[in-house]
Amino acid sequence: LLDRISDLYSVKKIVNYLDDFIIIASTEEECLRQRNVLIEIMEFMGFNISYKKVTEPSRCTIFLGITINSSKMELSLPQEKVDKLKSSLDYCIGKTYVSKKELQKVGGLMSFCSQVVKGGRTFSRRVFDLCARARNRGVIKLNVETRKDLQWWRNLCAEFNCRSLIQNDNCDDPMVSDASTKGFGAWCG
């Protein structure tokens, strides 16, 4: 339904999750126009608009807990989320045994942060595997591999502060790659 309405009213780039919406436009004026059209449509359909949550167009905004900065072409996590992750990681790294609930908390934070952290899901898998094997209120011994994954996350927080670049999908340059039993290579341009 939203796609059809978007087409009818020329609201081109709109993303929504439940009752949260973000409009992406090339200019501030176009963003304002599309925002106003969306509000008008939503009110016509009988939805109540929380105007205190409606924001002015900006090059930097938070949507679903992720900071989107179109000036830097960067996605990042708010500092309080990064600090919470660091604290949880430090707690687990310093322990030999942790409760299932504690490990699930860290896994949940890592899962959320993986939306921004490239490769994050790869280094979260062992945490979820340990949780799945543990009893409901069980205590889990952290194995060496899981500790290394937790340390990877901790190092990432210290060096990159959970930031990643927004990829430009409009690449016109050809890419050629090759692989062998001894390595791989790629060439762009």
Side-chain angles (χ1 to χ4, degrees):
L1 179 65
L2 188 58
D3 289 338
R4 181 75 178 122
I5 291 169
S6 296
D7 290 342
L8 285 172
Y9 292 93
S10 297
V11 178
K12 298 294 180 202
K13 299 229 180 178
I14 182 169
V15 178
N16 83 294
Y17 179 78
L18 299 176
D19 63 344
D20 291 323
F21 295 84
I22 187 169
I23 295 171
I24 302 165
S26 300
T27 65
E28 183 177 357
E29 294 77 21
E30 184 61 16
C31 193
L32 274 171
R33 185 193 71 73
Q34 291 185 29
R35 182 198 69 185
N36 294 338
V37 167
L38 178 63
I39 289 172
E40 195 174 307
I41 292 168
M42 298 303 286
E43 285 178 332
F44 177 77
M45 293 175 64
F47 289 93
N48 293 323
I49 307 297
S50 176
Y51 283 98
K52 66 182 179 201
K53 291 185 177 182
V54 175
T55 62
E56 294 301 312
S58 172
R59 294 183 180 268
C60 186
T61 190
I62 296 176
F63 182 64
L64 301 177
I66 296 173
T67 303
I68 303 168
N69 186 325
S70 63
S71 294
K72 294 180 178 180
M73 292 301 286
E74 180 179 81
L75 300 175
S76 63
L77 298 172
Q79 190 58 48
E80 59 271 7
K81 186 68 82 175
V82 175
D83 292 343
K84 188 175 181 181
L85 177 61
K86 285 179 184 177
S87 175
S88 295
L89 288 167
D90 288 342
Y91 176 82
C92 286
I93 289 170
K95 301 280 185 178
T96 304
Y97 294 91
V98 295
S99 72
K100 182 176 181 178
K101 185 176 182 178
E102 290 166 333
L103 200 57
Q104 286 174 324
K105 178 182 170 187
V106 173
L109 283 167
M110 289 167 32
S111 181
F112 176 81
C113 295
S114 290
Q115 296 176 89
V116 172
V117 176
K118 302 292 184 217
R121 292 216 187 277
T122 303
F123 293 94
S124 304
R125 183 75 256 149
R126 288 187 184 104
V127 168
F128 294 114
D129 289 346
L130 280 178
C131 288
R133 287 191 297 256
R135 287 185 231 135
N136 282 345
R137 299 184 198 272
V139 175
I140 300 169
K141 182 176 183 179
L142 295 177
N143 57 36
V144 173
E145 292 83 12
T146 304
R147 286 181 175 288
K148 287 180 181 178
D149 289 349
L150 295 173
Q151 192 60 55
W152 180 89
W153 272 94
R154 186 60 180 93
N155 293 343
L156 181 111
C157 287
E159 292 185 33
F160 298 105
N161 210 25
C162 296
R163 297 179 185 282
S164 68
L165 297 177
I166 298 172
Q167 300 298 315
N168 182 355
D169 291 337
N170 299 328
C171 182
D172 294 329
D173 293 332
M175 181 172 172
V176 179
S177 65
D178 192 17
S180 71
T181 57
K182 297 184 180 187
F184 66 93
W187 174 75
C188 252

